[in-house]
Amino acid sequence: AQKITQTQPGMFVQEKEAVTLDCTYDTSDPSYGLFWYKQPSSGEMIFLIYQGSYDQQNATEGRYSLNFQKARKSANLVISASQLGDSAMYFCAMREGNQGGKLIFGQGTELSVKP
Amino acid sequence: NAGVTQTPKFQVLKTGQSMTLQCAQDMNHEYMSWYRQDPGMGLRLIHYSVGAGITDQGEVPNGYNVSRSTTEDFPLRLLSAAPSQTSVYFCASSYSGGSHLQETQYFGPGTRLLVL
C-alpha cells in the first residue's frame, strides 16, 4: 500500500499568489515525521520544512507552511507569494517511528509559476 | 563544511560491469542512506546505515551492496550493472536522537548512472 500519496502530478500558479500542494500519508505508528523537499531542474534535493506527529502547531519556514491535519492524515505544503524560482518538483516524505535514515517519498508534484 | 559529497557526478557503464559510487559527509551524522530516483518517480531507499558497521536493506536492495567502515563514508557498490539500474542515485545523511528535526536528511548532489 502506498504510504505517501501526492495526487497532483503538475500544478500552475500565478506569480505572487499562494499555492497548496497536497500530501496524504498512511501509517499506524503514532510517532512519525513529515518532510517536504524541493527539487529544482538542477537536480539537488533541498529540505524545506518538517512536521512531527506530536507537534501541536503547524510548521512554518518563511514563505512555506505545512497544513497538518492529523485526523485526515494530510500534510499539505502551502507556499505563499509564489516566485518564479519556486518552479520545481516538490516531494512529500515520511519517516516512521525512530527509523532514522529511512524516508518514504511520494511521487512528487511539479509546480510551475507563471509570470 | 562540505556537507554530503558524491562522486562521480555522471557515469556510463556497460551491462555486467561493476562500480562503486562514493558518498562522504563531514557533519558527523550517524545515519546515512542511498536512494535511487527514476524518471517521474520519487526517491526509493536502497540501503541505509545507522552507524559505522551497521547497515540494512531498504525497499530496492537487489543488485547493490554497501558497507560502513567509518562514520564519514558510505559507498554503494553495483555488483553487475544492468540497464534497469540506470537512474539518479542520491546519498543522504542525518543526525540520530535529539529532536526529530535534527533527523532531517541532507542530500548529496546525486550521481547520474547510465547502463548500456
Side-chain angles (χ1 to χ4, degrees):
Chain A
Q2 195 164 359
K3 293 200 170 187
I4 294 284
T5 303
Q6 295 180 252
T7 57
Q8 306 154 312
M11 287 194 69
F12 290 91
V13 65
Q14 205 68 35
E15 192 178 9
K16 299 182 184 178
E17 292 186 348
V19 63
T20 297
L21 306 183
D22 294 341
C23 173
T24 58
Y25 60 92
D26 184 28
T27 181
S28 57
D29 197 318
S31 176
Y32 52 90
L34 297 158
F35 302 81
W36 278 92
Y37 285 86
K38 173 184 178 181
Q39 186 177 43
S41 58
S42 52
E44 70 267 34
M45 295 291 289
I46 303 168
F47 165 71
L48 295 178
I49 196 166
Y50 166 85
Q51 180 83 43
S53 59
Y54 295 118
D55 293 343
Q56 295 296 314
Q57 294 186 326
N58 288 345
T60 60
E61 289 287 346
R63 294 186 299 110
Y64 304 107
S65 61
L66 202 153
N67 184 0
F68 182 46
Q69 298 188 42
K70 197 169 182 177
R72 300 177 68 175
K73 294 189 175 180
S74 73
N76 299 339
L77 177 70
V78 181
I79 306 174
S80 63
S82 297
Q83 303 172 354
L84 296 178
D86 293 335
S87 294
M89 283 291 290
Y90 289 81
F91 291 98
C92 180
M94 177 175 68
R95 172 189 47 75
E96 291 183 300
N98 294 321
Q99 298 185 60
K102 294 178 66 175
L103 289 184
I104 303 165
F105 282 82
Q107 292 189 307
T109 294
E110 184 172 10
L111 178 66
S112 298
V113 181
K114 294 181 175 180
Chain B
N1 190 330
V4 181
T5 58
Q6 291 183 238
T7 56
K9 291 185 178 180
F10 182 70
Q11 183 73 46
V12 179
L13 289 179
K14 294 182 180 178
T15 297
Q17 287 184 316
S18 62
M19 79 159 296
T20 299
L21 307 185
Q22 301 291 344
C23 174
Q25 52 91 9
D26 61 358
M27 298 174 281
N28 203 30
H29 285 169
E30 286 156 309
Y31 294 156
M32 294 188 75
S33 310
W34 277 103
Y35 296 86
R36 61 178 286 173
Q37 183 179 26
D38 299 310
M41 298 182 67
L43 280 67
R44 292 183 294 169
L45 182 67
I46 304 171
H47 285 285
Y48 69 102
S49 169
V50 300
I54 306 170
T55 63
D56 205 347
Q57 296 180 349
E59 179 185 357
V60 288
N62 292 341
Y64 307 95
N65 271 357
V66 292
S67 59
R68 183 106 178 264
S69 56
T70 68
T71 299
E72 295 79 18
D73 300 300
F74 191 42
L76 177 72
R77 297 181 187 85
L78 279 70
L79 308 173
S80 177
S84 61
Q85 293 179 304
T86 293
S87 190
V88 180
Y89 292 84
F90 287 97
C91 179
S93 72
S94 60
Y95 288 110
S96 68
S99 71
H100 285 184
L101 183 58
Q102 289 183 301
E103 293 179 14
T104 296
Q105 288 198 319
Y106 294 93
F107 286 79
T111 294
R112 290 185 176 273
L113 177 67
L114 174 62
V115 182
L116 301 175

